[in-house]
Each structure stands twice: as structure tokens, then as C-alpha cells.
């Protein structure tokens, strides 16, 4: 049976923003169709199965449970949460240099924590907001790691590896004044069954059409037409949730639907790079209970300075960001596995080969063209806010990038989608 080629609202994208918008609209009785280019739901929230273990290959954590709309949604879907810590004094982390020398994990964690406190202080005082994190890092500068030692190594690692992971961008392109401290309490939690289960719960009962890559959106009498190889779907309004990288690539021809001012502001938003390599083992060779494995002083494009020991183990997940992530593009999975195993064997000693390996390609994936957005340079955050506040007559933008306080998150995406839906309903 062919499906209707008209709807009141067409939502482009079945990630958290698109599904959040569609759920709100459909629950209010608005006839809504969701189209997505991929053959699966969830966009950048996608759970892989590595040696049969549920491992999130995109978004993995709920950052800050308290007051977070994702907490309620995850709970409604029956998600099981697992609290994690990131180099906190007392955590059983393994910290080594590239040669395998072990650092004192407590001192390292102390320096690691001191970095974030100092970064927030520098941001709050507004000193030199346009200075990059790299330029501010060093003895006598705003981000002073303190006396050489394992704590100073922790401070520098937080600046050059940790911050890059949070922002998916290198420290040299992140300006001190652009960071919005994330102060939502409640801790970081992994979803043991993965984000895809939450996505499936949100999408339940919606009219979602997969493998529908949208090529153009055009004005027609009384509304808009969404066009692609699948044909055309007409609607009064369209909610477009394609990621920043895709919007900027021009892959979706919007004609003149986006005003020039919005187009120009779009160019100021950075689209970051973050990639994972997941190695599943039969036996853990790392100390029981280890949470994180950090390798300090790696080359700037080495993709393997940071690992988490996943609770659905024994599984190690590396997290590479910025140029470290981009360096993975074009490398064969076998090559990445060998390089990763060489690093891990130096850090952990004897380690059997993994029984399964999965790598991500968010940076080159045509439906994401990057991992998540960041404020890349002076004025970027203001531009983000202005785009977020823009409300077209018939075309609306939603997505993680357009929720300025919590961009780059699943909950930011969800909130943005719901806000646009509520605007349409008002
Ligand atoms: C490696 C990685 C780790 C992350 N870790 C976390 C984390 O731990 N916690 C957290 O909160 N967030 C994390 N994030 C960020 C989080 O995944 C995103 O902010 C969020 O999922 C974005 O949702 P969205 O709906 O805005 O976009 P998306 O999920 O990207 O949805 C957009 C949809 O549009 C579709 N689309 C694109 N182009 C077209 C087209 N032409 N036609 C039709 N459909 C199209 C895509 O297929 C996609 O499904 C991570 C992201 C990555 C990549």
C-alpha cells in the first residue's frame, strides 16, 4: 500500500530532535511524517553490537541527570543507567606515558579536575576571551598546569585531550570566551542497553519513512514540498533536523528558504570530529574495576590517548576527537586495531587479541559529516543563539546545534525538537 504523499508537517531526520518534534506534534493530533536518509532510526544515537554486547557508537552518556529531559525519557523507556566518573581522585584509572611508565592516578586525577575548575574561573572572569586554550596553557598563563609532575600531566591532558573530547575540537581552535560551562548536576550515566532502545521508545507509533534521503525543499502553494529519489511529500511546514555539517554541505537544496543572515551565521558554527574504536575481549587484562585508561603525551594526531572500560565488558572503547579523530578517516580497521593494540599492550602488558572490533566514521558519514557542533571562534556562540531563535514561516530548524545551553548532546537535540513543535502548535 502506498503511503500518503501529504502531511501537515514533514520532519526531516529521525534523530532525537526529529523524533522529539514528531512525538510532540503527533501527540497533539497533527498529521506528521518523518523521513530519514538512513536505514535505521536515531541518527547520531546508535547502539552497535560488539561481540553481542550493546555499545553506543555515537552518543553514550546522559550528562547530568537532574533537570535533564533525557532522564525522564530514558526512564519511561525502561533504560538501565550506570554512573561513570572521569579521572576523579579515588577512581581505579590506569594512566601511562607512551613508553608504558605508570603515573600516579590520584595525582593525575587531581590535576585533571583542577583544569576544569580553572577553565570555568577564567571564563567567568572574562580574561582574554578570544585567546585559544592552547595559547592560554603554560606556566604563568591563565591555564597554568602548576609544578611539573603527574598532577600537571593530568591538567595538560584535560586541556589537550579531555576538552577536545567534550567539544570535538582541538584546543587551538577553542577560544576561552566561547565555552559555556556545563553545570547540570547529577553525574554522567551510560545506558546499559544503549541509546537505541530510548530512540525506539520515542519513535513508537510514528509514521517514519527510512531510506528517504531528502535532496531539496521547495515552496509550493500553501506550503512546502520535500523532494528526493522517493518522490515528493507536501506539507504545510517542514522541520529540518539535518546536522550542521550536512546543512553546510549543500546536500539539501533549500533554494532561498534560509535567509542570507542565517546562512552566514551557519558558517560560524564549528562541526566537530569525534570517533570511537571498540575492542571486545574474552578476558580483561586490565585491573578489575578500572574505569579509564589514559595515555599522556601522545602525538597530537594519535587516535588512542583515551579509553573507557565499558561496563558491558570486557570491552574497551577509545574516544578520539579533533585531529585525532580525523586521522582515523581513510585508515583501514585492521590498521587501527594494530595501532590500538600496540598502545594498549604498552599500557597494560599482556593482552590477547580482541574477539571483535568496530570503528565509527561519523566524520565522513554523509548523513552527519561530523560528530557534534562546537563554538569555534569569536561570535560563534552568539551566531548559534541567533539561528536557534530564528523561526521561519514554514521551514523550521531543529537539532543539537540549536539548543545553545546544551548543544552537542542528546537532550539538547530533544529539547530543540520539542521547542519547535510547541512553536508550531502555539
Ligand atoms: C561519537 C559521538 C559521541 C557522542 N556522545 C554523546 C554523549 O555521550 N552524550 C550526549 O548527550 N550526546 C553525545 N553525542 C551527541 C549526540 O549524539 C547528538 O547531539 C544528538 O544525537 C544529535 O541529534 P539530532 O537529532 O540533532 O541529529 P541527528 O541524530 O544527527 O539526526 C539528524 C538525522 O537527519 C538525517 N539526515 C541527514 N541528512 C538527511 C537528508 N538529506 N535526508 C534525510 N535525512 C537526513 C540523519 O540520517 C539523522 O538521522 C555524541 C555524538 C557522537 C557522534
Amino acid at each position: 500500500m502506498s503511503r500518503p504523499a501529504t502531511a501537515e508537517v514533514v520532519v526531516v531526520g529521525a534523530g532525537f530532535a526529529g523524533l522529539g518534534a514528531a512525538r510532540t506534534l503527533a501527540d497533539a493530533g497533527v498529521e506528521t511524517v518523518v523521513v530519514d536518509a538512513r536505514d535505521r532510526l536515531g541518527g547520531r544515537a546508535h547502539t552497535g553490537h560488539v561481540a553481542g554486547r550493546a555499545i553506543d557508537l555515537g552518543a553514550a552518556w546522559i550528562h547530568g541527570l537532574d533537570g535533564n529531559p533525557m532522564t525522564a525519557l530514558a526512564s519511561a523507556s525502561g533504560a538501565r543507567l550506570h554512573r561513570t566518573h572521569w579521572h576523579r581522585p579515588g577512581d581505579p584509572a590506569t594512566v601511562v606515558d607512551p613508553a608504558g611508565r605508570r603515573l600516579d592516578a590520584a595525582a593525575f586525577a587531581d590535576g585533571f579536575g583542577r583544569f576544569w575548575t580553572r577553565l570555568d574561573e577564567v571564563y567567568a572572569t572574562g580574561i582574554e576571551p578570544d585567546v585559544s586554550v592552547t595559547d592560554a596553557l603554560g606556566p604563568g598563563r591563565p591555564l597554568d598546569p602548576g609544578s611539573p609532575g603527574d598532577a600537571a600531566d593530568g591538567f595538560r591532558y584535560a586541556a589537550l585531550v579531555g576538552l577536545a573530547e567534550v567539544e570535538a575540537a582541538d584546543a587551538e581552535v577553542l577560544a576561552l570566551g566561547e565555552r559555556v560551562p556545563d553545570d547540570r548536576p547529577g553525574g554522567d550515566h551510560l545506558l546499559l542497553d544503549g541509546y537505541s532502545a530510548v530512540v525506539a521508545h520515542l519513535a513508537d507509533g510514528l509514521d517514519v519513512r527510512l531510506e528517504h534521503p531528502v535532496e531539496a525543499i521547495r515552496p509550493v502553494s500553501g506550503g512546502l514540498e520535500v523532494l528526493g529519489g522517493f518522490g515528493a511529500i507536501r506539507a504545510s511546514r517542514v522541520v529540518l533536523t539535518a546536522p550542521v555539517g550536512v546543512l553546510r554541505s549543500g546536500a539539501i537544496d533549500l533554494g532561498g528558504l534560509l535567509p542570507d543572515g542565517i546562512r552566514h551565521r551557519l558558517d560560524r558554527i564549528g562541526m566537530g570530529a569525534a570517533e570511537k574504536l571498540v575492542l571486545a575481549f574474552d578476558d580483561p587484562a586490565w585491573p578489575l574495576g578500572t574505569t579509564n585508561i589514559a595515555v599522556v603525551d601522545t602525538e597530537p594526531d594519535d587516535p588512542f590517548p583515551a579509553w573507557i572500560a565499558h561496563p558491558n565488558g570486557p570491552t574497551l572503547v577509545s574516544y578520539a576527537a579533533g585531529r585525532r579523530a580525523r586521522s582515523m578517516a581513510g585508515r583501514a580497521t585492521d590498521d587501527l586495531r594494530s595501532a590500538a593494540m600496540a598502545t594498549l599492550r604498552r599500557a597494560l602488558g599482556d593482552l590477547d587479541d580482541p574477539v571483535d572490533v568496530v570503528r565509527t566514521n561519523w566524520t565522513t558519514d554523509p548523513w552527519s559529516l561530523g560528530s557534534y557542533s562546537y563554538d569555534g571562534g569569536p561570535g560563534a556562540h552568539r551566531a548559534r543563539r541567533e539561528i536557534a531563535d530564528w523561526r521561519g514561516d514554514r521551514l523550521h530548524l531543529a537539532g543539537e546545534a540549536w539548543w545553545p545551553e546544551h548543544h552537542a548532546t542528546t537532550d539538547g537535540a530533544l529539547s530543540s525538537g520539542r521547542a519547535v513543535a510547541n512553536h508550531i502548535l502555539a
Side-chain angles (χ1 to χ4, degrees):
M1 193 178 73
S2 74
R3 293 189 286 181
T6 59
E8 280 178 65
V9 178
V10 170
V11 176
V12 179
F16 272 114
L19 295 174
R23 177 90 273 154
T24 303
L25 291 165
D27 286 354
V30 176
E31 187 197 6
T32 306
V33 167
V34 183
V35 291
D36 198 293
R38 298 184 209 259
D39 61 1
R40 60 165 180 82
L41 299 169
R44 284 170 278 167
H46 175 50
T47 308
H49 293 278
V50 190
R53 302 160 199 165
I55 306 288
D56 273 315
L57 302 175
W61 281 270
I62 299 179
H63 293 298
L65 287 192
D66 301 352
N68 188 331
M70 190 54 71
T71 309
L73 182 62
S75 160
S77 76
R80 296 176 300 136
L81 303 184
H82 174 89
R83 175 85 148 103
T84 64
H85 300 284
W86 202 19
H87 296 298
R88 204 185 50 158
D91 283 343
T94 300
V95 185
V96 292
D97 71 11
R101 181 186 74 85
R102 223 160 249 247
L103 278 67
D104 179 65
F108 178 89
D110 185 49
F112 187 88
R114 205 156 39 76
F115 168 78
W116 304 100
T117 309
R118 182 65 192 136
L119 187 64
D120 286 353
E121 283 167 9
V122 172
Y123 174 80
T125 53
I127 313 167
E128 305 179 88
D130 295 345
V131 171
S132 76
V133 169
T134 326
D135 287 339
L137 185 66
R141 301 196 194 154
L143 299 174
D144 185 341
S147 318
D150 294 353
D153 281 341
F155 189 100
R156 267 206 317 278
Y157 180 91
L160 299 175
V161 176
L163 184 63
E165 287 182 28
V166 171
E167 304 285 351
D170 296 303
E172 57 262 36
V173 302
L174 293 169
L176 288 184
E178 296 298 329
R179 178 180 155 77
V180 178
D182 186 357
D183 50 6
R184 187 186 268 149
D188 293 335
H189 289 74
L190 288 169
L191 295 92
L192 290 176
D193 306 303
Y195 257 116
S196 288
V198 184
V199 167
H201 172 80
L202 184 61
D204 189 32
L206 296 175
D207 180 348
V208 183
R209 304 179 190 181
L210 298 175
E211 298 179 274
H212 275 51
V214 173
E215 289 162 17
I217 303 174
R218 292 264 179 270
V220 288
S221 146
L224 297 172
E225 200 165 46
V226 175
L227 302 157
F230 54 85
I233 308 177
R234 280 185 177 219
S236 304
R237 296 168 184 259
V238 172
V239 179
L240 176 58
T241 73
V244 167
V246 175
L247 287 180
R248 265 212 306 255
S249 74
I252 305 177
D253 181 356
L254 297 175
L257 287 171
L258 276 190
D260 284 349
I262 296 298
R263 248 177 225 289
H264 293 144
R265 287 180 179 90
L266 197 56
D267 287 338
R268 308 191 74 156
I269 314 298
M271 186 57 174
E275 301 289 0
K276 295 179 180 179
L277 181 77
V278 186
L279 304 180
F281 296 88
D282 266 344
D283 293 309
W286 47 92
L288 209 62
T290 283
T291 47
N292 298 282
I293 298 166
V295 188
V296 300
D297 291 336
T298 46
E299 292 299 319
D301 60 354
D302 181 324
F304 306 119
W307 296 83
I308 68 147
H310 198 283
N312 290 347
T315 304
L316 295 179
V317 183
S318 86
Y319 203 113
R323 79 174 61 150
R324 297 177 191 275
R326 286 192 297 275
S327 79
M328 289 170 68
R331 286 179 70 178
T333 306
D334 273 354
D335 174 31
L336 292 172
R337 177 187 36 197
S338 304
M341 288 304 293
T343 298
L344 289 171
R345 285 186 172 122
R346 273 197 303 273
L348 301 170
D350 263 359
L351 192 57
D352 287 343
D353 281 331
V355 291
D356 200 1
V357 179
V358 170
R359 58 91 64 86
T360 63
N361 287 300
W362 297 107
T363 315
T364 51
D365 180 328
W367 313 122
S368 55
L369 292 177
S371 56
Y372 36 94
S373 63
Y374 66 93
D375 287 335
H381 192 71
R382 188 169 352 105
R384 180 196 292 283
R385 195 171 286 287
E386 285 160 356
I387 299 176
D389 289 343
W390 175 74
R391 294 279 181 255
D393 290 339
R394 295 191 178 279
L395 178 70
H396 309 281
L397 296 180
E400 55 87 6
W402 318 127
W403 199 252
E405 298 313 331
H406 292 284
H407 64 266
T409 64
T410 52
D411 51 280
L414 180 68
S415 300
S416 165
R418 286 175 171 172
V420 165
N422 285 324
H423 166 78
I424 291 173
L425 293 172

